[in-house]
Amino acid sequence: KAGVTQTPRYLIKTRGQQVTLSCSPISGHRSVSWYQQTPGQGLQFLFEYFSETQRNKGNFPGRFSGRQFSNSRSEMNVSTLELGDSALYLCASSLGQPGFSSTDTQYFGPGTRLTVL
Amino acid sequence: KQEVTQIPAALSVPEGENLVLNCSFTDSAIYNLQWFRQDPGKGLTSLLLIQSSQREQTSGRLNASLDKSSGRSTLYIAASQPGDSATYLCAVRPTGGTSYGKLTFGQGTILTVHP
C-alpha cells in the first residue's frame, strides 16, 4: 500500500507571495492533518480534515487555510508569506473514524520544505 | 493546555547499549500516545502506539510503557545500533470534542549511537 505523498518536496518563495501544498493520504484514509515543524517551535498542529470538513484547527493566523477533496486529497494554502513561515510542512493521514481514536495511528508523509526569502 | 516534555534532549551512547527515553505530559485525558522516529530532513515514522487503557507495547527491540495517571511514558531500546540514530518524538492525542487529529508533540530526543 502506498504511503502518504506530498508535493512539492521543496519550495522557495519570497515574502508576500502565496503557496499551495498538496497531500495525498493512504488509500482508504479519510482524515488528513497538517503540521508545521520549525527548529524553535517543534511540531505544531495546523488543522485536520475529515470527509471534506475541517474538524479541528490549531492556533495559526487566518493566512493559513486548507481544504479536502472528495477523494480525501488535501491542500493547504499560505497567503502573504512571511519569513517566519519557513518550515517543514508535514501531512499525516489516518482512518479518522469516530469511536476508533484510541487505535487510530497517524502516518506521516515526507514533508514539504518551504523557504521564504 | 496539554504540554509534552521529553528528557533528555540529546543522548549519545555506544553501540550495543540499552537505553531509555522519557516523555511526560500534563493532561492525562488522552486517547493514546505514539512514539515516532524522524531522520534528518525527513517525515515521521510511527514506531509504537499505546492506547490509554494499555500499559505497554512492544515491537522488536522497542518497548514503550505508559503510566497515564502519572503522565509518563518511556521508550526502551534494547541493544542499540548505529541505524537507531535519529530524533525520537512522542505525541499524545487528547480526548473529547473534535480533537481527533490533533497530536501534541514533545520537542524530541536526538539519539546518536556510535560504533
Side-chain angles (χ1 to χ4, degrees):
Chain A
K1 191 183 265 192
V4 179
T5 58
Q6 293 187 244
T7 57
R9 294 293 312 281
Y10 302 92
L11 266 178
I12 299 176
K13 294 285 188 179
T14 56
R15 278 186 302 173
Q17 288 187 307
Q18 76 166 23
V19 66
T20 299
L21 313 181
S22 180
C23 171
S24 293
I26 292 172
S27 178
H29 285 189
R30 294 166 63 190
S31 169
V32 173
S33 299
W34 289 89
Y35 294 83
Q36 181 196 65
Q37 187 177 30
T38 59
Q41 298 297 318
L43 273 152
Q44 293 185 287
F45 173 79
L46 280 158
F47 26 65
E48 186 222 1
Y49 288 86
F50 178 76
S51 293
E52 301 179 67
T53 301
Q54 187 180 86
R55 197 159 62 172
N56 205 351
K57 189 177 190 303
N59 193 23
F60 277 82
R63 300 185 297 107
F64 291 81
S65 64
R67 60 178 175 168
Q68 187 180 34
F69 302 95
S70 59
N71 61 358
S72 294
R73 189 177 70 84
S74 178
E75 290 181 346
M76 68 163 281
N77 184 276
V78 187
S79 62
T80 319
L81 284 165
E82 300 178 359
L83 295 178
D85 297 334
S86 295
L88 181 65
Y89 289 87
L90 293 163
C91 162
S93 80
S94 67
L95 290 169
Q97 295 286 354
F100 291 90
S101 295
S102 65
T103 58
D104 200 10
T105 301
Q106 291 206 353
Y107 296 91
F108 282 76
T112 294
R113 172 74 63 185
L114 172 64
T115 301
V116 182
L117 303 176
Chain B
K1 179 190 169 189
Q2 178 75 269
E3 292 184 2
V4 180
T5 303
Q6 291 187 244
I7 294 173
L11 183 62
S12 180
V13 300
E15 181 177 5
E17 194 160 296
N18 301 326
L19 56 99
V20 174
L21 308 181
N22 297 289
C23 172
S24 62
F25 47 96
T26 55
D27 187 346
S28 62
I30 64 170
Y31 273 127
N32 60 43
L33 182 145
Q34 274 188 265
W35 281 94
F36 293 91
R37 167 191 172 133
Q38 185 175 33
D39 293 288
K42 303 289 181 60
L44 277 62
T45 300
S46 179
L47 298 172
L48 289 164
L49 179 148
I50 311 177
Q51 299 176 54
S52 61
S53 59
Q54 296 177 319
R55 296 286 291 183
E56 64 179 294
Q57 278 285 347
T58 299
S59 176
R61 295 183 294 108
L62 305 179
N63 176 277
S65 67
L66 174 65
D67 184 343
K68 198 175 76 161
S69 61
S70 67
R72 296 176 187 275
S73 176
T74 61
L75 179 67
Y76 174 83
I77 302 177
S80 58
Q81 303 169 357
D84 294 331
S85 298
T87 298
Y88 289 80
L89 294 144
C90 73
V92 297
R93 175 184 295 220
T95 60
T98 57
S99 301
Y100 293 99
K102 183 178 181 178
L103 298 183
T104 301
F105 283 85
Q107 291 288 348
T109 294
I110 302 171
L111 173 64
T112 304
V113 181
H114 47 88

